[in-house]
Amino acid sequence: MPQDSVLAPPLFLIFIDDMPDPDCVRSSTVGLFADDTILYGRITSPSDAAKLQCDLDALQAWESKWLMEFNPTKCETLKRKPVEPSYTVHGRSHN
């Protein structure tokens, strides 16, 4: 499907509609806007950080299943103390 076609945006949204499914992402919130995705949650303990990493891993499994690809160079981590975890997307660490 050509990117500039009239049907491309609605078909893409239908294609990614199951991404925020609770079977995929269990502990975090997923936000979708056009072709951008945000995954976020409140991190107050190492346990919360581990849950977020599990959700990141689930999204990576989702993208592999559907032959999509997140761009790890565009991934960012916004964090405040007291917990400063490091997350991994495609083997790339994000501090």
Side-chain angles (χ1 to χ4, degrees):
M1 173 81 43
Q3 262 190 328
D4 295 334
S5 74
V6 174
L7 289 177
L11 288 176
F12 179 75
L13 292 175
I14 291 168
F15 188 73
I16 65 168
D17 186 56
D18 68 332
M19 186 190 307
D21 188 327
D23 290 335
C24 181
V25 176
R26 299 180 185 273
S27 302
S28 307
T29 302
V30 176
L32 303 172
F33 179 76
D35 65 347
D36 291 327
T37 304
I38 183 172
L39 178 74
Y40 61 95
R42 179 175 285 252
I43 309 299
T44 59
S45 69
S47 170
D48 292 337
K51 289 177 185 176
L52 183 66
Q53 183 63 58
C54 284
D55 288 339
L56 283 168
D57 295 341
L59 284 179
Q60 291 174 83
W62 178 91
E63 71 172 335
S64 177
K65 175 183 173 183
W66 293 108
L67 305 176
M68 299 283 286
E69 187 174 335
F70 293 117
N71 185 346
T73 62
K74 290 185 173 182
C75 294
E76 293 184 33
T77 302
L78 303 175
K79 58 187 174 182
R80 290 182 258 169
K81 294 183 179 184
V83 179
E84 293 200 24
S86 176
Y87 300 101
T88 305
V89 178
H90 294 293
R92 186 180 204 152
S93 183
H94 296 274
N95 297 336

